[in-house]
Amino acid sequence: MKYVSVSVENGIAQVRLDRPDKLNALALDTLDELITVAKKLRKDRTLRAVVIAGEGASFCSGLDIAAAMRTPSRIVKAFIPAPWRGTNRFQEACWAWRRIPVPVIAAVHGHCYGGGVQIALAADFRYATPDSKWSVLEGKWGIIPDMSGIRSLTEVTGPDVAKRLTMTAETISGTEAQRLGLVTELADDPVKAATAFAESLLTRSPDALAAAKRLIDGALTSSARRTFARERRAQIKLLALPNTKILRKAVMSKSTPDFQPRSRP
């Protein structure tokens, strides 16, 4: 990996955008690496959580347009969606993190612009410094967020705020981003706070966490009737899984549960 690094300890993956000399601006290679890492983590049934952050002074300053324009043929190819998943390379670099069946937490500091916002929004939770800088920067260049950002921004903030941020391309602080719903929690050290939150989830059944993520994400686009049916099926399966029994025994004995790998890939 050239621009993305990853390490896993105690079931928690620490993923880093690792191009600090360019404020972690997204090269086309970065997109490929993000997809590759996300796919690999998705298959790891012992994985319990992911923390994604940026090395150096910023989380991510957006797409490195100058570098991308040096290889226009790659840009054209990157826009072509894969028919089996419905996303192109730009979109999958973000949406792949939504497909991971464990909690994904973004830890944001410094700049979080354009594609950086869309990567952060692909996480389930966002921890950020109060002085971090957020902008849906695409509007400055006469374009729109196209790395799954239209969907995720609308989900997180609601349509009116999503339109405002997309149309104005204004820069807001982490404090304002929290007020608008972009940020889950403010922290002076977001990586430390995000990791602590991830560690707090280690005592919860990995199967229940996966089901919760899958069902809540699905509820955003499903009818109530379909959501209820999914709830029933998931609950019946959870009641019979070994990890549910392990947790129940641990709660009754006031001990720390020793979970098996997640049942669903």
Side-chain angles (χ1 to χ4, degrees):
M1 293 291 171
K2 186 177 180 182
Y3 298 133
V4 179
S5 62
V6 58
S7 62
V8 181
E9 184 177 353
N10 196 28
I12 300 173
Q14 297 285 349
V15 178
R16 297 292 180 270
L17 298 172
D18 198 1
R19 201 185 179 200
D21 57 315
K22 296 291 185 180
L23 299 178
N24 296 318
L26 301 170
L28 294 179
D29 287 341
T30 312
L31 305 181
D32 291 337
E33 291 180 17
L34 284 168
I35 294 169
T36 298
V37 171
K39 284 183 177 179
K40 182 177 180 180
L41 293 176
R42 184 183 180 187
K43 295 176 182 177
D44 184 356
R45 291 173 56 198
T46 67
L47 188 71
R48 301 301 309 280
V50 176
V51 175
I52 183 167
E55 295 288 0
S58 290
F59 178 73
C60 177
S61 59
L63 182 66
D64 187 341
I65 298 177
M69 291 305 295
R70 287 197 286 269
T71 53
S73 62
R74 288 188 68 191
I75 295 178
V76 173
K77 290 180 181 178
F79 267 104
I80 300 173
W84 62 89
R85 69 187 182 208
T87 55
N88 63 27
R89 192 180 308 171
F90 292 103
Q91 295 162 337
E92 188 64 15
C94 295
W95 205 253
W97 302 92
R98 295 279 292 262
R99 302 184 199 276
I100 298 177
V102 303
V104 177
I105 312 157
V108 177
H109 73 292
H111 303 87
C112 186
Y113 290 166
V117 173
Q118 296 177 82
I119 291 171
L121 288 172
D124 302 293
F125 310 94
R126 285 155 294 284
Y127 285 70
T129 59
D131 63 351
S132 55
K133 298 180 183 300
W134 297 67
S135 177
V136 183
L137 199 61
E138 289 84 357
K140 179 181 178 180
W141 306 103
I143 55 178
I144 58 169
D146 67 339
M147 294 173 62
S148 76
I150 292 293
R151 165 73 176 267
S152 56
L153 186 63
T154 304
E155 286 178 354
V156 169
T157 68
D160 53 345
V161 175
K163 290 173 185 175
R164 169 189 153 186
L165 295 175
T166 301
M167 292 176 179
T168 65
E170 64 185 297
T171 300
I172 60 175
S173 68
T175 300
E176 177 67 2
Q178 185 194 36
R179 189 185 72 81
L180 294 176
L182 282 172
V183 169
T184 308
E185 189 170 318
L186 297 174
D188 292 331
D189 187 339
V191 170
K192 182 178 180 180
T195 302
F197 177 59
E199 289 172 345
S200 75
L201 297 176
L202 296 179
T203 59
R204 299 293 181 257
S205 167
D207 297 309
L209 294 181
K213 177 171 180 171
R214 184 174 67 252
L215 290 170
I216 292 171
D217 283 349
L220 295 170
T221 56
S222 297
S223 67
R225 184 186 183 95
R226 188 169 185 181
T227 298
F228 298 157
R230 288 173 173 171
E231 280 182 5
R232 293 191 296 269
R233 289 194 297 270
Q235 191 75 309
I236 290 170
K237 182 177 180 180
L238 285 170
L239 288 170
L241 289 178
N243 280 328
T244 306
K245 298 175 183 178
I246 290 170
L247 180 58
R248 185 165 58 244
K249 289 180 179 178
V251 171
M252 295 297 291
S253 63
K254 298 182 180 179
S255 60
T256 301
D258 183 14
F259 292 114
Q260 296 180 9
R262 189 179 64 252
S263 67
R264 179 167 174 158

